Amino acid sequence: MSAVASQDVFRGGFANPDFDAQMVFRQIMNALARPGTVCMIDAFTEPPAPLSPCTGAIAATLFDADTEIWLDPLLLERQEVVGWLTFQTAAPLAETGFDARFALVSSGDLLPPLERFAQGTQEYPDRSTTIILQLDSLEGGVPLVLAGPGIKDRHVIEPVGLPPRFVEQWAANNSHYPRGVDIILVADDGLIGLPRTTRIEPTDGQEA
Amino acid sequence: MKHQQDLATYNFAYLDEQTKRMIRRAILKAIAIPGYQVPFASREMPMPYGWGTGGVQVTASVLGPDDTLKVIDQGADDTTNAVSIRAFFQKVANVAVTTQTGKATIIQTRHRIPEEPLSENQVLVYQVPIPEPLRFLEPRETETRKMHALEEYGLMHVKLYEDIARNGHIATTYAYPVKVMGRYVMDPSPTPKFDNPKMHQCAALQLFGAGREKRIYAIPPYTQVVSLDFEDHPFEVQAFDEPCALCAASGVYLDEVVLDDRGGRMFVCSDTDFCEKRRESGHVGAMSGQSGETVQ
């Protein structure tokens, strides 16, 4: 990622907020409707590091004053990150992961256990956290075989930088459906949606 | 049509950006929990409830300048509801419109699924009057919510059973309940049950908007959608005795058209685009006026 030219919190939002947000939303929608498909973002923001332009675009598309957000400790200690998100989206900070509509996590090793976020209730499973997780790359990692709604048969993804034991955590997340968290994996200009309905299947010759 | 100059001075696609964000977030949750009705803060729209305000809000939140929109009302592109909603989006979003199913990227529908199979790059937006399939069995929202939470759908099977007890078969012909991904029982909106099988493993994303009832729900592509039934009374779709009177298509959903006050009638394709395409490619029905027989 090229260096962000300005760290000014007042700059770096969408150039055309309504059309840019629409384009980015369609990619997020496609990503969650077709889990595993890498959807490319074509409208960017320039947020302060370590937020990527793509993560910033997702934030500018989905966050507003109605959505409490949780930030990982690295993001939280960066004044310019908190300032940029607050100015650009007006999203308030959540006290804990349980209160968050969205969580921004700048790398896999900073992702807390998934059960530390809002899972929704059995009556209102939609009251859950959507985690936006920045990774090093969406290609070249250990293959994960995905199945579930939105996937015709099977879909293989190879994200780089998921936390250890993610597959076990994700199976636990599947197990209390309809409650659970949804994840958007972000790297470079692309994103992959992992809704709670997506299962990670054991790969050949290896039991999960 | 040159609407360029008099493009309405609204935000693109009428809704303000904060409303769109709220609806977009609801759509994402709906996709993540197929068949579950996500509450949303439905807005007043410049048309009455019952005219598709839910579908219009969903379409407005999804629609972009590069989209091509098709709107159908009972399968037809040229009936009042379809014409007015199509004109609305031409005015507030200056969006390209079409009547051809294959050319549309977003299809807003009132109570039909096009006959032509949908593709992966299409979104089907349903207008929904009553999203809660259990509502006529249990009027209290607190109770139906609990029933969904506990996956307690016995009442719906009792309703279908009572159909059989009274009529000898399941007499529900539209808004026929389905189970999505083996979990949520969902109202497919008042589509004829003929269309239920098209929802199963559909390549397109299906979004449902209920404006007055303030609910959005979804079926992702390639998702299991099963119509409820019994082993000894399996789900069946309507069958028609004769093909379309205009294009001779069989295996499609037909509308009855009354011709006079002496019992004259004809059955024609409900999907006008499908019917027109077939007639253009030379298919001739019994009453198409081209078959050689003249009306006396």
Side-chain angles (χ1 to χ4, degrees):
Chain A
M1 221 37 62
S2 61
V4 177
S6 168
Q7 300 295 345
D8 190 343
V9 299
F10 306 118
R11 298 178 55 184
F14 280 138
N16 298 300
D18 39 6
F19 295 111
D20 287 353
Q22 189 274 335
M23 282 195 283
V24 174
F25 167 71
R26 280 290 275 275
Q27 294 308 317
I28 301 170
M29 182 177 87
N30 284 341
L32 283 167
R34 303 172 194 282
T37 307
V38 179
C39 296
M40 303 310 285
I41 293 278
D42 40 15
F44 296 102
T45 56
E46 291 176 26
L51 288 183
S52 75
C54 191
T55 308
I58 296 171
T61 301
L62 296 178
F63 298 180
D64 60 25
D66 294 334
T67 58
E68 289 86 357
I69 56 171
W70 185 91
L71 303 178
D72 72 45
L74 180 68
L75 293 173
L76 203 55
E77 72 181 20
R78 303 292 290 270
Q79 275 301 313
E80 64 274 23
V81 168
V82 178
W84 190 86
L85 287 169
T86 307
F87 179 79
Q88 300 292 342
T89 73
L93 293 178
E95 295 268 321
T96 69
F98 299 114
D99 309 313
R101 296 282 305 273
F102 290 97
L104 275 183
V105 183
S106 55
S107 75
D109 41 319
L110 291 172
L111 179 68
L114 298 180
E115 67 263 24
R116 301 255 288 269
F117 293 103
Q119 309 288 311
T121 63
Q122 203 67 15
E123 281 82 7
Y124 291 94
D126 56 307
R127 295 179 180 174
S128 58
T129 308
T130 300
I131 301 166
I132 297 151
L133 175 59
Q134 276 187 191
L135 296 179
D136 300 331
S137 175
L138 299 178
E139 287 165 3
V142 180
L144 300 175
V145 182
L146 306 185
I151 302 169
K152 195 171 185 180
D153 183 27
R154 296 281 182 274
H155 202 114
V156 178
I157 60 169
E158 300 181 340
V160 178
L162 284 176
R165 304 184 58 77
F166 178 80
V167 174
E168 288 89 334
Q169 281 199 60
W170 190 251
N173 189 56
N174 289 150
S175 68
H176 52 262
Y177 183 81
R179 290 175 296 132
V181 299
D182 309 308
I183 298 185
I184 300 170
L185 305 176
V186 188
D188 301 324
D189 300 350
L191 56 96
I192 289 177
L194 287 182
R196 64 196 77 178
T197 50
T198 301
R199 303 181 307 277
I200 301 177
E201 306 261 293
T203 39
D204 293 336
Q206 162 193 341
E207 290 298 311
Chain B
M1 283 195 242
K2 294 263 181 283
H3 284 301
Q4 213 76 5
Q5 298 90 334
D6 58 1
L7 184 61
T9 51
Y10 298 104
N11 189 32
F12 178 78
Y14 186 76
L15 294 175
D16 60 280
E17 288 302 304
Q18 187 167 355
T19 297
K20 286 188 200 166
R21 272 195 300 275
M22 175 271 297
I23 293 173
R24 285 167 180 168
R25 290 192 296 259
I27 290 172
L28 297 184
K29 292 289 189 201
I31 291 169
I33 317 166
Y36 167 74
Q37 303 159 51
V38 182
F40 81 110
S42 176
R43 299 297 194 238
E44 294 254 353
M45 297 302 284
M47 59 191 76
Y49 287 137
W51 278 67
T53 54
V56 166
Q57 290 178 78
V58 169
T59 299
S61 304
V62 171
L63 189 72
D66 300 332
D67 278 308
T68 304
L69 180 70
K70 171 182 165 82
V71 186
I72 52 173
D73 171 7
Q74 302 279 9
D77 293 275
D78 53 1
T79 47
T80 313
N81 195 224
V83 170
S84 57
I85 291 174
R86 193 163 57 233
F88 173 75
F89 280 113
Q90 280 179 297
K91 181 159 191 175
V92 300
N94 202 23
V95 71
V97 296
T98 183
T99 59
Q100 300 186 44
T101 301
K103 289 194 174 159
T105 53
I106 298 175
I107 303 172
Q108 180 168 331
T109 175
R110 175 177 174 274
H111 316 341
R112 272 313 310 280
I113 301 174
E115 303 291 356
E116 189 179 322
L118 301 178
S119 69
E120 290 195 350
N121 54 16
Q122 292 180 311
V123 179
L124 186 60
V125 179
Y126 295 74
Q127 302 170 199
V128 181
I130 310 277
E132 177 51 71
L134 305 167
R135 183 60 70 233
F136 290 110
L137 308 171
E138 170 52 66
R140 289 168 296 181
E141 168 68 14
T142 47
E143 291 304 302
T144 52
R145 187 161 288 281
K146 187 70 85 182
M147 290 156 80
H148 283 294
L150 299 176
E151 210 177 339
E152 176 50 70
Y153 295 125
L155 204 54
M156 184 58 89
H157 276 102
V158 170
K159 183 211 178 254
L160 296 176
Y161 168 74
E162 284 182 350
D163 260 12
I164 296 170
R166 289 206 184 99
N167 306 301
H169 63 277
I170 298 176
T172 306
T173 54
Y174 67 95
Y176 191 105
V178 295
K179 197 168 206 181
V180 183
M181 212 193 98
R183 178 57 178 81
Y184 282 101
V185 165
M186 191 196 90
D187 185 336
S189 84
T191 50
K193 67 176 179 179
F194 183 88
D195 285 340
N196 277 19
K198 296 180 195 164
M199 294 184 155
H200 177 64
Q201 301 292 343
C202 177
L205 170 64
Q206 301 173 76
L207 301 175
F208 300 76
R212 184 190 54 210
E213 304 292 320
K214 300 175 173 57
R215 295 291 186 273
I216 287 172
Y217 52 105
I219 303 175
Y222 306 117
T223 297
Q224 184 198 52
V225 179
V226 178
S227 302
L228 299 183
D229 62 358
F230 298 97
E231 276 174 25
D232 51 346
H233 285 274
F235 172 78
E236 284 173 350
V237 298
Q238 291 98 332
F240 298 91
D241 297 334
E242 42 192 300
C244 170
L246 295 179
C247 77
S250 53
V252 297
Y253 193 74
L254 302 180
D255 283 339
E256 180 180 1
V257 179
V258 174
L259 297 176
D260 52 36
D261 59 0
R262 296 187 300 277
R265 56 191 189 156
M266 66 195 288
F267 287 89
V268 296
C269 285
S270 144
D271 185 335
T272 52
D273 173 57
F274 181 82
C275 196
E276 278 165 22
K277 278 225 187 68
R278 276 180 58 88
R279 276 179 280 156
E280 274 167 21
S281 60
H283 294 276
V284 175
M287 297 171 80
S288 64
Q290 296 161 10
S291 54
E293 39 175 303
T294 48
V295 180
Q296 303 275 309

